[in-house]
Amino acid sequence: LNSWAILPSTQEANCAFVELFTKEKQTPRWFVSHWWGEVIADFVACVQKHSEIRCLPDESPYWVCAYANRQHALGQELTADPRATSFFKAMQLAEGVLLVLDDKMDSSGPSTPFTRIWCAFELSMVLDLTASADDDSPMLLDIGHRPSGASRVELLSDGITPWDKKQPRWSTDVRHKSKREQSFPIDIVKVALHLQLERASASMEDDVVHILNCLASRPLESRPTLDQHENYDRTNARLRAVLAVAVWRQALERKLIDSLKLPECLAADRWRTQLRLDLTDCQEVDNQSVTILAQSLPRHLVNLYLDFTNCNNIGDAGFEALADHMPGTLQQLYLACRSVPLLSDEGIKALARRLPQSLRDAHFDLLICNQITDEGLSALCSSIPPTMQLLVLRLAGIHDLTDQTLANISHNMPSSLQTFKLDLSGCDKIGDPGLASLANGLPTCLQHLSLWLLGCLGG
């Protein structure tokens, strides 16, 4: 395409291919990272599918280097410093990166981008831009692939997409996402799980030199490049972990966690400070799989989000393992265990014993966990760190909770608490005495209080 269409059509005007179609400013909505040698029809299909799943307007610009750069003046687009190139500038403006992976061909693939230095650099910049972004606007990474000879495009999305939210409400957003992604060929990312960017190649050797030196914080023209560097190891480990998390659910459902060595990939990312894993409705989640996950948690996590809603096969042993490996550096914890029938007081007490004292924000969603009683909640409340600032307890539908639970919450209420949300809907043994106890224990610095009390009859 470049030789037959882009170069001839842009030579006279010395312009980018996109400039032949519009004079309007094209601020990139998404940046596309890909290998120039993939089948063009597959590439286009991946972008189209991505636009559909992200529910983007037709005029939403995607930044594609072949079409956005002026191919007759690449010296102006590609400076020696990779962080000063048009690639990096475009990534800084985009809300996310679409990584297009090719299939196995006679002379290439699969997943050639993981062996190309520019693609490896672009993925490493996703990590850096995510680290510098606000929590509400992280740099997203979606992965698209069309298997050879197939009409269907497979897409792994970074989180729930607008398309997932628009599906019929008979199911959850997470279920729609899981069903949409369940046929993604995990084998296609095996290459990424062994990524070694220092061995990646490029069409121009100078690009390899400049990018490796940039990553190693060396003068850009230093030769030869280093075979090893701690920055290479850090970037490799972080990228492998990103891909491991992206396919964790699919691998779990296909019993491929161990064979792909996903736990090793995640544990090796000792620079990771955030982890989000939503396993809602995943019936392959059991005590053993939770134990494996717990043992793989990076030791310096600050923010941990785990959702085990409707996971019917996980019980106290799984939560005990999670408690035993809870990073002591945690400041934010979101743990959703809605409708987990095997979770009882023993699992809650295990969590309570090992709850990190560094926690500032905690969200416990235990809706309809009917083996939990006052005993378990008492243990959890007594372990709440005194410096907690935000606490959410969703206890709706737990029928054995009594006013004693509210007395325990009141007695252990952190004096520093600023936001407290408590859902007791359907807890029909809780009444006025418990609420009075709770009111008496509210800290004076509390700024936001939310209570859900529908169905509290005070039996």
Side-chain angles (χ1 to χ4, degrees), residues 94-314:
E95 66 185 65
V97 171
L98 169 61
L99 173 63
V100 177
L101 297 180
D102 57 318
D103 211 341
K104 176 65 178 174
M105 306 291 284
D106 291 340
S107 58
S108 64
S111 301
T112 304
F114 295 121
T115 67
R116 304 295 291 178
I117 195 69
W118 270 111
C119 293
F121 174 76
E122 290 159 5
L123 293 178
S124 73
M125 291 303 100
V126 171
L127 301 176
D128 291 346
L129 291 172
T130 296
S132 62
D134 296 333
D135 290 340
D136 295 334
S137 57
M139 172 67 74
L140 301 174
L141 176 61
D142 294 345
I143 303 172
H145 169 69
R146 183 160 81 167
S148 180
S151 59
R152 174 184 170 91
V153 170
E154 306 293 346
L155 185 76
L156 287 179
S157 65
D158 192 343
I160 301 296
T161 70
W163 184 91
D164 299 320
K165 295 179 179 179
K166 288 184 176 181
Q167 299 313 296
R169 302 313 300 171
W170 52 261
S171 188
T172 64
D173 299 343
V174 177
R175 279 185 180 177
H176 289 305
K177 171 178 162 63
S178 175
K179 184 176 181 179
R180 172 173 58 78
E181 296 180 343
Q182 66 184 3
S183 57
F184 190 94
I186 293 182
D187 285 352
I188 206 72
V189 301
K190 277 186 177 180
V191 176
L193 300 175
H194 302 281
L195 174 71
Q196 290 182 289
L197 62 84
E198 64 272 24
R199 297 187 180 181
S201 59
S203 301
M204 299 180 63
E205 182 60 27
D206 282 351
D207 290 345
V208 176
V209 171
H210 295 154
I211 289 175
L212 290 182
N213 285 333
C214 176
L215 293 173
S217 300
R218 302 176 73 212
L220 295 174
E221 298 296 343
S222 297
R223 298 169 191 263
T225 57
L226 300 177
D227 293 331
Q228 296 179 328
H229 193 275
E230 60 182 355
N231 289 354
Y232 301 165
D233 297 337
R234 179 174 67 248
T235 303
N236 287 335
R238 293 175 69 197
L239 286 174
R240 291 169 192 156
V242 166
L243 273 297
V245 172
V247 300
W248 196 283
R249 181 182 181 122
Q250 289 76 14
L252 180 59
E253 291 173 339
R254 303 177 206 180
K255 297 179 171 53
L256 295 174
I257 291 283
D258 289 335
S259 62
L260 291 174
K261 297 184 177 180
L262 301 189
E264 291 89 334
C265 290
L266 178 57
D269 186 5
R270 63 181 188 273
W271 301 273
R272 177 180 281 265
T273 60
Q274 300 186 37
L275 176 61
R276 181 186 178 97
L277 195 58
D278 194 330
L279 297 172
T280 297
D281 298 313
C282 183
Q283 299 312 310
E284 285 73 21
V285 175
D286 56 16
N287 290 333
Q288 181 181 7
S289 63
V290 173
T291 299
I292 291 172
L293 172 62
Q295 293 171 343
S296 308
L297 293 177
R299 303 318 305 160
H300 300 292
L301 286 180
V302 174
N303 186 323
L304 177 61
Y305 179 110
L306 295 174
D307 196 332
F308 298 117
T309 296
N310 294 331
C311 293
N312 296 327
N313 299 312
I314 173 178

